[in-house]
Every structure is written in structure tokens, then in C-alpha cells.
Amino acid sequence: MGTGTRTRHHWAVRAAGTAIAGLVLLGLTPGTASAAPSDAEIAAAEAARDAAAAQVGVLSARLAEAEAAADAARQGAQIALQDYEQLQAAYQAARAAADAAVAAAAQAEADVAGGVAQVAGYARTTYIQGSTAPGATALLSADGPAQLIERAALLEAAGTHRVDVVTELTALQVQADRTEEQAQTASAEAEVLQEQAAVALADAQAQESSARAQTAALTEQRDAVAEQAEAAGQQVAGMQAEQDAAEAAAAQAAAAQAAAARAAAARPAAPAPAPAAAPSRGSTSSSASSPSSSSSSSSPSPSSSSSSSSSGGSTSSSRGSTPSTGASSGNPAPPRATTAGAPSASAVRTAIDAALSQRGVPYSWGGGGANGPSYGITYPDTGIRGFDCSGLMEYAYARAGIRIGGTSRDQWYLNRGKTVARADLRAGDLVFWGTGDDYRSIYHVAMYLGDGTVVQAPQSGDVVRVSPMWYGSDYFGAVRPTA
């Protein structure tokens, strides 16, 4: 069958939308056919292959959409995680303030108790002496003017002290009441912040889990269909090869037959026998001699017949794509001017060495900090000891003696006066990505190494590694902590 005929069959059956299962229904498996596959069989196999390829295309498109949604969910999870970390820090500060307020309230109560004891002692002494004015008795019983003056001075001091004791007791009671109220307020604020932190953490966990589940499910589905499409393509290629071989053999046989026919036609016809004399009675004559002239023409060599065959190529499908590391077609954030001074070479070298020393350490959601890797925040990375993006940066610069904050947004905000334009990036600068122009939209940070590379803790399932630098529409800017 010619190429044009086969192509018409191919598109006619493809338009019918035959599914992959058609191969199974046809009972066609490589190596089992006893004769060359028919046009209908190849057309059905091609249709099955094309249907599988089309399904792979659909699933790949869905996967691309899901990966975009997963990336957005992951970015949201990183932002929500930072919300949680800030609320958790605020809660811890409020809890410490509440504890201090409780301690102050307890001390105030103790002071009030001491003042009450002093007043009670004074009342008891007055009662034992039988007079509420012991001073008059003391003056009247003086032996002379000198003793009278001395006792008057002592009584005045004692009276002032009694008044001071009562005044101090009143102040202590007021202070104790105020301190107790502050302690209750601080405790209530701490409880509210703790509840808010729990909500933020649950939201971050839900977004991260959703991102992982979406990507894993569609990747598995697409890979399964891609394997089916590859098998269908191999099936079609094998069947076409078998048919091409059969067509070639048939063409060769036809050519041979044609050549033989031409050769036979080219031979001269045998001369007609001369009229025979009347045979002698009783004698028999037969002509058995060869003709007097023989043909010297040689039969032409058979012309070779070429058979045009087309092989149906299988549709290839990539199982994954590497994101472009160049600028995307989105609208990049406005370039930020360089406001940072020259970096500290020694601090930069220390920070870079510290970050590179952690290559291969797993990514752990919410993990890591100034002291090194740690276990992630609850599910899903509680069992993974490692770093998230900001934890790695915090550790690296802590080794250089520079505190840059614990979240990527803090690392930008605390260094917002040390910005660096793209053209001025130097090794050790921190580069950021966010979903908007507000620093609170930052969701990722890495350390620029120079030569178009960064060191980073990319995402769950990955490890700390060196990667090509990229910008894209989410690029937020850069800062220089060592300036």
C-alpha cells in the first residue's frame, strides 16, 4: 500500500477517536502476527497510538496547570508559615510579659502583706498600752525640759513613720491591683496570639499538603498514560515494519515476474516448418535439428522497482520540564536601585562557606535557624531535619556574626536600606522572590554566589544545592547584609 493511501487511512481512523484499548481488542502484540498486518489493523493501531498521545497532551496541560496552582499554593504556604512564625514570636513575647506581670503582682501582694503587718503591729501596741495617744503620756512623765524635748522629737519621728506606713500600704495596694490587671491582660493577649498562630499554622499546613498532593497525583497519572502511549507507538512501528517488509517482498516478486515476461517477449519466434514432402510410405520424419540461425539478443536486465514506504513515528511526550531560568514573560517587579555599600569580603566568604557546607542537607518546612538544621514544624516535615530557605540564610550569616532575622520577609525588611540592583549583584547578596510589591508577599530567598548561580534550600523533597540564578515575574529584589 502506498504512502498516500496509508496516510488517508491514518487520518480517517484517527478522526474516529479509537482508544488505546483498541490494541488489546485487536489482539495485536509484537511478534505474534503470522502474516503482514492489514491496513485496517495498522490504522486501528495508529488511532490507538494517537489517542494515547492526545491523552498525554491533555494530562500534560492539566499537569502544567496543576503545577502552577501547586506553586501558588506553595508560595502561599511559605507566606502563611512566616505569619505563623511571627505570631508565635509575638505569643512568646506576650507570654514572657504575662509571666513577668504575674511575678510583679505576686511581689506587690507580698509588699501589701508586709504593710498590713506593720499597721496591725501598731494597732496591737496601742491596744496593749491602753491608749491611742501614748505620746501625751510620754511627755507628761518627762523628768525635765531636756528629756521632754528629746521625747517630743522621738514621738514626731514615730508619728511620721506611722503616717508613712499607712500611705505606703495604700500605694502598695493600688500597685498590686494594677499589676494584677496587667498580668490578666497580658495573659489574655498571649492566649489570643496563640490561637491566631495555631490558625496560621493550620492554614500553612493545608496549603503545603494540597500543593504536594496535586502535583504527585497528576504526575503519576500522566506518567502512566505516557507509558501506554510509548507502548502503542512501538506497536505501530513494529506493525508498519512488518507491512513494509511484506510490500517490499511483493514488489520484488512482481518485478521479477515482469522481468521474466519481458524476457520471454523479447525472444524471436521459432521459424515455421517448411512444407514436408509427402512422406514415404512406411517412413517417419521428425525435425529435431536446431534452427539455422540463433538470436543473439540478450534479454534486458529487470529494472529495480522501488517501494515507497512511510513509517508512522510515535508521538513523544516529555515527562517533565525544567523551568526556564531566564526572565519570564510576566511583568517583573520594578528594578530597585543600589543603596548598599561595598560588602565585607571576610563576612561574605564566611557566610558562603557556611551555606555551601550544608549542600545535600534535606529541605525541611520551617526547619533550621542560626544554630543549624532542625526538625520541621509539625506535619509534613516533623521527621525531616534540615533547612527551609530562610533558615539556611539565617544560619549562614550567623556564622559570620550577622543577625538577619528568621524569616525571608524579615531578612528583607531588616536590610531594606541596603538594596542591590540586578546589575550590581555581588557574591553573598540575598535575592528574594514574592507574589507582589509588598515585602510581606516574599516567599523565597537564596544567596547569590556570582557567575549566575545561587545556593538555596529550594522546596520540599529537595536538598540544599547550587542552582542557576533566575529572575522571572516574581523576582522581588536583593539586599547586602554585609554592607
Side-chain angles (χ1 to χ4, degrees):
M1 183 173 83
T3 303
T5 304
R6 182 180 304 155
T7 303
R8 286 193 296 272
H9 276 281
H10 169 79
W11 285 107
V13 181
R14 180 173 183 175
T18 307
I20 299 173
L23 289 175
V24 179
L25 295 176
L26 289 170
L28 299 175
T29 55
T32 61
S34 59
S38 67
D39 291 345
E41 290 172 334
I42 290 183
E46 287 177 338
R49 178 202 63 197
D50 293 340
Q55 190 174 2
V56 170
V58 170
L59 286 174
S60 295
R62 287 179 56 195
L63 180 62
E65 294 175 357
E67 286 176 341
D71 287 342
R74 189 173 291 112
Q75 294 164 10
Q78 292 297 333
I79 293 172
L81 176 61
Q82 294 182 83
D83 290 339
Y84 161 74
E85 290 174 339
Q86 286 191 335
L87 286 170
Q88 186 68 8
Y91 160 71
Q92 291 172 350
R95 185 71 270 167
D99 292 343
V102 169
Q107 181 61 47
E109 288 295 338
D111 293 342
V112 169
V116 169
Q118 287 184 345
V119 172
Y122 171 73
R124 185 170 55 253
T125 300
T126 302
Y127 174 77
I128 291 173
Q129 290 177 351
S131 172
T132 58
T137 304
L139 291 175
L140 293 174
S141 61
D143 293 335
Q147 190 178 41
L148 177 65
I149 293 172
E150 180 181 356
R151 287 187 177 185
L154 290 173
L155 287 173
E156 181 180 2
T160 302
H161 175 68
R162 286 194 298 271
V163 172
D164 289 345
V165 167
V166 174
T167 302
E168 182 179 358
L169 176 61
T170 303
L172 287 174
Q173 187 63 57
V174 171
Q175 181 180 357
D177 293 341
R178 185 184 302 112
T179 305
E180 177 65 23
E181 182 179 351
Q182 291 174 349
Q184 292 176 356
T185 301
S187 296
E189 290 177 353
E191 290 177 0
V192 170
L193 286 170
Q194 187 176 35
E195 292 175 358
Q196 292 176 346
V199 171
L201 178 59
D203 180 46
Q205 289 173 338
Q207 292 188 60
E208 179 69 12
S209 299
S210 173
R212 297 186 187 192
Q214 289 176 38
T215 303
L218 274 174
T219 299
E220 181 179 358
Q221 186 179 3
R222 184 202 60 183
D223 289 349
V225 176
E227 290 177 2
Q228 294 178 359
E230 183 178 357
Q234 293 174 353
Q235 177 73 17
V236 170
M239 295 173 68
Q240 287 177 334
E242 291 179 18
Q243 190 182 64
D244 290 343
E247 289 178 353
Q252 289 176 0
Q257 290 177 358
R262 287 194 299 271
R267 295 192 189 98
S280 301
R281 185 176 297 173
S283 67
T284 305
S285 172
S286 70
S287 175
S289 62
S290 60
S292 60
S293 64
S294 62
S295 172
S296 62
S297 302
S298 61
S299 63
S301 59
S303 61
S304 59
S305 172
S306 62
S307 171
S308 174
S309 65
S310 67
S311 165
S314 62
T315 302
S316 64
S317 171
S318 171
R319 294 194 180 184
S321 61
T322 303
S324 169
T325 57
S328 73
S329 60
N331 297 321
R336 301 181 187 276
T338 298
T339 61
S344 166
S346 60
V348 166
R349 187 70 264 166
T350 300
I352 289 177
D353 289 344
L356 291 178
S357 71
Q358 301 303 306
R359 281 178 293 183
V361 173
Y363 179 95
S364 182
W365 194 61
N371 296 323
S374 64
Y375 290 101
I377 296 178
T378 67
Y379 176 84
D381 288 344
T382 49
I384 299 178
R385 189 171 184 271
F387 291 99
D388 64 7
C389 62
S390 58
L392 177 64
M393 300 301 106
E394 183 181 16
Y395 168 76
Y397 271 102
R399 297 304 91 191
I402 300 174
R403 296 288 181 175
I404 61 173
T407 65
S408 56
R409 63 173 65 158
D410 283 347
Q411 291 166 4
W412 168 271
Y413 186 79
L414 295 176
N415 294 282
R416 63 191 182 279
K418 305 174 184 180
T419 57
V420 182
R422 292 187 191 184
D424 298 328
L425 282 175
R426 302 276 293 275
D429 292 346
L430 297 183
V431 285
F432 299 83
W433 289 262
T435 59
D437 291 335
D438 192 308
Y439 82 95
R440 288 169 293 186
S441 73
I442 291 174
Y443 63 83
H444 188 62
V445 60
M447 183 186 294
Y448 188 68
L449 297 177
D451 297 326
T453 60
V454 295
V455 60
Q456 61 167 334
Q459 61 185 13
S460 296
D462 212 330
V463 297
V464 175
R465 58 185 172 89
V466 175
S467 309
M469 175 61 188
W470 74 101
Y471 293 98
S473 60
D474 281 1
Y475 181 70
F476 190 85
V479 298
R480 182 170 294 157
T482 62

